[in-house]
Amino acid sequence: IGFDGATHKTNFGPDFRGESFFTVFAIFFPAATGILAGANISGDLKNPQKAIPKGTLIAIVISSILYIAMAWTIGSVMIRDANGNTTLLTNDHFNMGLNLISNCSLAAKGCEFGLINTFRNMEVVSGQKYIITAGIFSATLSSALASLVGAPKVFQAVTKDQLFPYIHFFAKGSGRSGTEPHRGYVLTFVIAIGFILIAELNAIAPIISNFFLMSYALINFACFNASLSKSPGWRPAFKYYNMWMALFGSALCLAVMFIINWWTALITFVIVVMLYKYIDFKKPKVNWGSSGQALTYTTALRY
C-alpha cells in the first residue's frame, strides 16, 4: 500500500497468533549466531586479540541496524491481513478500501496475504523479487559456510586433547598446511543434511537456538569462573570486560533456554553436566589447567 504512518503505528505493537515472544525469538535467534565466527577461526587471524572484539561488535551493530530498518520498512508498507483484492484500493476512498482489503470474509480462501499470512512479503514489496531470492540464497550459504568452517576446527581442537573416547579419528589434519579438519568437514556436512531432511524450519530453529544459547552460557560462565579464580593465564584485554556481566549473560542464556522449551533445555543441561563429570572423573593429561586448579594455586600463594 506504500509508506503509511498509520500502518506503521498499527504494526508497531505485537499481535501474536498461536505463538509467543519467545517462540518467535527461538526462530529468529539463529540469524544472530554468527557472533562466534571470528572466535572459531582465531587461529587463522593475524591479530585475534584485536580483530575478534572489533569485528564482532561492528558486525552486531551493522546487523542490528539492518534488521530493525528492514522490520520498520516492511511494517510501514504492508498490513497484517489482506485478502488480495487490490481493486478495492482507490485514491478517492483509500481508507475505506484498506478496511475492505483487510476483511478476510470477502475472499473465498480468507486472507492469504499480509504480514501474518505469507512468508513472501519481501518479494511483494521489492522492485524485483529475484533479487530477494538471490539474497536469501547468499545469506543462507554465507551462514552455512561460516559454521561449516568454524565448527570442525573447534571439534578438531577437542579431539586433539583426547578429552573424550572414540573421537580421536577426527584429530588428524590434512591439506597443504596439514591442519585442515577435512574429516570434521564431512561429519559437519552429514549432521547438516540430517537437520535439512527434517524439512521444517520452525522445528529446527528452536533446537539450534537451544544449543547456541548453551554454548554462550558456558563461554560466559567460563570467563566469570576464570576471573573469580584469578587464573594467572586469564588476562582479558577487552576494555569493557566485567566478570559480573559475564555471569549475568550466562544466567540470562539459561533462563531463555528454559522459557523457549523447558524439556529440550533440560536435556541439553543434563548432557553438558554428564560431559563435565566425565572429564572431571577421567582427569585427562592436557597442557592446560582448570579454573579449579587456578583457584587452588592462587589460594596457596595467598596463605
Side-chain angles (χ1 to χ4, degrees):
I1 62 172
F3 281 96
D4 183 65
T7 301
H8 176 82
K9 184 177 180 180
T10 302
N11 291 332
F12 192 80
D15 184 21
F16 298 110
R17 302 179 187 179
E19 302 289 346
S20 66
F21 171 81
F22 285 101
T23 57
V24 176
F25 172 81
I27 296 172
F28 169 78
F29 187 75
T33 53
I35 189 173
L36 288 181
N40 289 340
I41 59 171
S42 58
D44 299 332
L45 299 175
K46 184 178 181 179
N47 190 348
Q49 191 175 27
K50 290 185 177 180
I52 292 176
K54 184 178 180 180
T56 300
L57 291 175
I58 292 175
I60 290 174
V61 171
I62 294 176
S63 299
S64 299
I65 292 174
L66 289 176
Y67 286 145
I68 294 173
M70 192 63 66
W72 279 33
T73 300
I74 197 170
S76 301
V77 300
M78 292 192 71
I79 57 179
R80 285 171 173 162
D81 298 293
N83 55 36
N85 188 358
T86 56
T87 59
L88 296 173
L89 290 174
T90 61
N91 293 329
D92 296 332
H93 303 89
F94 182 80
N95 291 330
M96 182 182 296
L98 194 61
N99 292 329
L100 292 174
I101 201 174
S102 62
N103 189 340
C104 299
S105 62
L106 297 180
K109 296 182 179 180
C111 287
E112 297 182 282
F113 302 94
L115 294 173
I116 299 292
N117 305 301
T118 179
F119 296 128
R120 308 184 69 176
N121 294 314
M122 290 303 300
E123 291 185 357
V124 175
V125 301
S126 66
Q128 179 53 260
K129 66 177 183 180
Y130 298 109
I131 296 178
I132 302 300
T133 303
I136 291 172
F137 273 96
S138 300
T140 303
L141 289 174
S142 174
S143 299
L145 288 174
S147 297
L148 184 63
V149 171
K153 290 182 179 293
V154 176
F155 185 60
Q156 184 187 41
V158 173
T159 57
K160 284 183 176 180
D161 287 331
Q162 300 185 23
L163 299 178
F164 304 102
Y166 312 119
I167 60 173
H168 190 65
F169 171 80
F170 297 98
K172 181 177 176 58
S174 55
R176 291 184 178 180
S177 63
T179 59
E180 287 298 320
H182 288 172
R183 296 177 179 181
Y185 292 149
V186 174
L187 177 63
T188 305
F189 175 78
V190 171
I191 294 174
I193 291 297
F195 275 95
I196 290 172
L197 291 176
I198 296 176
E200 181 58 51
L201 180 62
N202 289 359
I204 298 171
I207 299 174
I208 297 174
S209 298
N210 183 71
F211 282 102
F212 268 112
L213 284 167
M214 177 55 77
S215 299
Y216 298 153
L218 291 174
I219 291 171
N220 277 287
F221 184 77
C223 293
F224 166 77
N225 203 21
S227 299
L228 185 67
S229 63
K230 294 181 173 58
S231 174
W234 174 247
R235 296 183 294 272
F238 184 55
K239 182 179 179 180
Y240 302 104
Y241 169 75
N242 183 280
M243 59 181 289
W244 299 109
M245 184 60 68
L247 179 63
F248 174 74
S250 180
L252 186 62
C253 288
L254 289 174
V256 173
M257 281 176 59
F258 280 91
I259 292 174
I260 290 175
N261 193 316
W262 68 268
W263 62 267
T264 56
L266 186 61
I267 292 174
T268 306
F269 189 79
V270 170
I271 292 174
V272 170
V273 171
M274 290 175 62
L275 292 175
Y276 168 75
K277 295 306 295 182
Y278 175 83
I279 296 176
D280 186 53
F281 175 76
K282 297 294 290 185
K283 292 181 171 56
K285 295 180 180 180
V286 292
N287 61 354
W288 42 262
S290 66
S291 56
Q293 291 172 327
L295 182 61
T296 302
Y297 173 77
T298 55
T299 304
L301 291 179
R302 190 181 307 163
Y303 299 103

